[in-house]
């Protein structure tokens, strides 16, 4: 069954009103989840928490989704065959999309809303830490569906433990056309190993900032501090900084960078050269360059030139985001063309790799594989395609 765009938009608008009117019920459920969480993982705790600002973001996400154009049925290609057949390629819904995610109740709104607007049935599997928050939001989804005479089967929550989830992935009791895991590397690997259908990988961050020798140094300081400290639980936060050996007044720049990072209680590690110059903790081995921290922790190293910076980023980054800070346009162009990340920046923070910030009205995930969509996956990306061929009895 395909829901009309009018029905889909009506459900989203009803859901927007329900979330706004029932904000306290969501907050109350989330408080129980937060009180039950042991706080062992700082980033998970940050993602788990729902406050008034996050509620406002949920409402705004639904409002924007309801106003966006229908992504289904968009013509991508039209060809008239020599024999007179009319050949069209149009976007089409996947069918059933399963979203597996850790601790983030807002995903139940944002990702669920994008999948629904794209004409897909949704299976939601949230983490146990956010169970009550998720169930409160799914209850609102069901009320929004019923208010518009749509079956609640369109949004289903799977309250499974790890063993039950593994069994479902290996032998699903209903058809699943696409799975999107949103979480850490362990979750992604678990899904990839067990899923029997296509998986869109929303991979790790481990993002880099390269301070080129011709950088605006005040700009570089602002970008690094923002990208590291604004939201440590975000996959678009920065973990590694490379500083050009030929940066003018390098010692003064590094001293101010350390002072500002320490003011935010960031643990600072360095390579041998940076440690010799600044007395911070030496990295234990090269493997740390590959690690995503999701914490108040950063590694700073020195690099000889742009080419070496590109090679290091391509070797160790998660393929998510990387920034060059420079006033030299040629160096920026070379860096952006050669760095193999979903989003590359010139003189801006990696924190902008986000569906809202990129004008997509939200995101389902941030893809780090190259198929079928890279970077923030928005409404227009959560579709497949279908060929429509109109003939008058043609045979081959």
């Amino acid at each position: 069954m395909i829901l009309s765009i009018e029905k889909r938009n009506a459900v989203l608008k009803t859901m927007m009103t329900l979330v706004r009117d029932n904000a306290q019920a969501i907050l109350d459920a989330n408080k129980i989840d937060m009180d039950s969480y042991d706080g062992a993982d700082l980033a998970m705790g940050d993602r788990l928490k729902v406050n008034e600002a996050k509620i406002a973001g949920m409402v705004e996400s639904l409002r924007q989704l309801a106003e966006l154009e229908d992504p289904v049925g968009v013509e991508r290609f039209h060809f008239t065959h020599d024999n007179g057949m009319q050949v069209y390629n149009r976007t089409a819904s996947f069918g059933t999309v399963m979203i597996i995610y850790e601790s983030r109740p807002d995903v139940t709104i944002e990702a669920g809303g994008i999948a629904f607007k794209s004409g897909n049935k949704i299976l939601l599997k949230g983490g146990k830490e956010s169970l009550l928050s998720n169930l409160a939001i799914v209850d609102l989804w069901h009320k929004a569906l019923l208010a518009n005479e749509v079956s609640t089967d369109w949004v289903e929550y799977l309250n499974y433990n790890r063993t039950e989830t593994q069994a479902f992935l290996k032998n699903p009791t209903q058809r699943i056309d696409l799975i999107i895991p949103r979480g850490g590397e362990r979750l992604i690997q678990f899904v990839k190993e067990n899923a029997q259908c296509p998986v869109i990988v929303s991979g790790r961050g481990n993002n880099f900032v390269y301070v080129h020798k011709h950088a605006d140094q005040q700009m570089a300081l602002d970008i690094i501090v923002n990208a590291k400290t604004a939201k440590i639980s975000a996959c678009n936060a920065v973990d590694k900084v490379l500083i050009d050996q030929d940066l003018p007044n390098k010692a003064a720049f590094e001293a101010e960078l350390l002072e500002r990072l320490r003011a935010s209680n960031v643990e600072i590690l360095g390579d041998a050269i940076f440690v010799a110059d600044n007395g911070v903790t030496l990295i234990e081995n090269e493997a740390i360059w590959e690690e995503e921290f999701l914490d108040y922790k950063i590694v700073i190293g020195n690099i000889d030139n742009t080419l070496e910076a590109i090679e290091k980023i391509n070797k160790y980054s998660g393929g998510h985001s990387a920034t060059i800070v420079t006033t030299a346009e040629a160096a920026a162009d070379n860096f952006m063309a050669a760095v193999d990340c979903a989003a590359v920046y010139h003189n801006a923070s990696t924190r902008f790799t986000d569906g809202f910030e990129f004008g997509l009205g939200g995101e389902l995930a941030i893809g780090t594989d190259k198929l079928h969509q890279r970077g923030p996956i928005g409404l227009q990306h959560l579709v497949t395609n279908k060929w429509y061929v109109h003939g008058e009895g043609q045979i081959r």
Side-chain angles (χ1 to χ4, degrees), residues 147-382:
N148 291 280
E149 299 179 331
V150 178
S151 170
T152 57
D153 289 346
W154 280 85
V155 179
E156 183 178 348
Y157 193 82
L158 304 178
N159 188 10
Y160 294 162
N161 60 30
R162 183 179 178 85
T163 302
E164 291 167 333
T165 301
Q166 184 177 35
F168 182 79
L169 291 176
K170 285 183 173 295
N171 188 24
T173 54
Q174 57 180 293
R175 175 170 174 166
I176 305 173
D177 298 285
L178 180 69
I179 299 178
I180 302 172
R182 289 192 58 164
E185 291 182 74
R186 287 178 58 195
L187 172 66
I188 293 165
Q189 192 60 35
F190 171 77
V191 173
K192 288 175 71 175
E193 287 175 356
N194 293 286
Q196 303 299 309
C197 68
V199 176
I200 292 181
V201 174
S202 179
R204 65 193 179 95
N206 191 34
N207 305 311
F208 280 68
V209 172
Y210 168 45
V211 183
H212 184 253
K213 63 183 178 181
H214 296 308
D216 178 321
Q217 295 187 22
Q218 190 59 50
M219 179 189 291
L221 291 167
D222 292 342
I223 286 172
I224 294 167
V225 173
N226 170 261
K228 177 69 263 180
T229 67
K231 188 176 177 65
I232 58 100
S233 65
C235 61
N236 55 25
V238 73
D239 285 328
K240 309 299 186 311
V241 174
L242 303 174
I243 300 175
D244 199 296
Q245 288 277 46
D246 295 328
L247 182 73
N249 303 311
K250 183 166 166 286
F253 172 82
E254 291 178 348
E256 186 172 353
L257 176 59
L258 291 177
E259 181 181 352
R260 290 185 61 177
L261 289 172
R262 284 170 176 153
S264 295
N265 297 314
V266 177
E267 179 187 355
I268 302 163
L269 309 175
D271 66 2
I273 296 175
F274 192 80
V275 168
D277 292 342
N278 298 283
V280 300
T281 303
L282 178 67
I283 59 174
E284 291 185 4
N285 52 58
E286 288 293 298
I288 199 170
W289 288 103
E290 212 165 11
E291 186 178 343
E292 180 185 28
F293 297 137
L294 297 172
D295 202 347
Y296 288 98
K297 185 176 180 179
I298 198 167
V299 172
I300 303 174
N302 284 256
I303 206 80
D304 286 338
N305 51 53
T306 304
L307 178 60
E308 288 194 9
I310 292 167
E311 290 175 346
K312 188 149 195 163
I313 293 168
N314 286 345
K315 181 176 181 179
Y316 291 114
S317 84
H320 192 295
S321 302
T323 291
I324 182 173
V325 185
T326 184
T327 59
E329 294 291 336
D333 290 344
N334 183 30
F335 179 92
M336 297 177 81
V339 167
D340 192 16
C341 287
V344 287
Y345 292 83
H346 175 204
N347 293 342
S349 170
T350 58
R351 288 280 293 117
F352 288 102
T353 308
D354 174 89
F356 276 116
E357 299 294 340
F358 282 5
L360 301 178
E363 71 194 33
L364 187 71
I366 296 178
T368 51
D369 277 355
K370 296 182 181 179
L371 293 174
H372 82 288
Q373 176 63 28
R374 204 176 185 192
I377 297 171
L379 182 66
Q380 59 271 59
H381 307 127
L382 195 64

